Amino acid sequence: EAKAAAAAFESAIRTAQLPQKQLDEVTADLHTIAAQLSKASPSLAILQEAGRSLRNIVEGVTAGLATPGVVAAAPALWSALGLG
């Protein structure tokens, strides 16, 4: 579930016109999540921290920059990572 949610979020974020700094931060967090999910025993603490970081970035971005795809995909990723 988390892998599918992360893939959907990554796809959606590509359509957003985020400033480069936020895009770099999002990409780094997504790579962290992908690396953990590829492990036989991913660290829940690392997954949740990367998820919190992503959520903070998305919530901090001006509403006009977040596409409908990002707005729809983000809650599914937060849920899959146990962030509510």
Side-chain angles (χ1 to χ4, degrees), residues 6-78:
F9 183 85
E10 185 172 9
S11 177
I13 205 72
R14 287 185 190 151
T15 65
Q17 295 181 357
L18 294 176
Q20 190 62 46
K21 179 182 176 192
Q22 281 88 2
L23 184 58
D24 291 345
E25 291 177 12
V26 165
T27 301
D29 287 333
L30 286 170
H31 288 162
T32 298
I33 290 169
Q36 285 298 312
L37 293 176
S38 71
K39 294 171 54 176
S41 297
S43 169
L44 183 57
I46 293 172
L47 285 169
Q48 288 182 334
E49 187 56 36
R52 280 187 205 96
S53 177
L54 278 174
R55 184 169 59 187
N56 288 339
I57 295 165
V58 170
E59 289 174 351
V61 172
T62 306
L65 295 176
T67 66
V70 172
V71 173
L77 181 56
W78 311 159

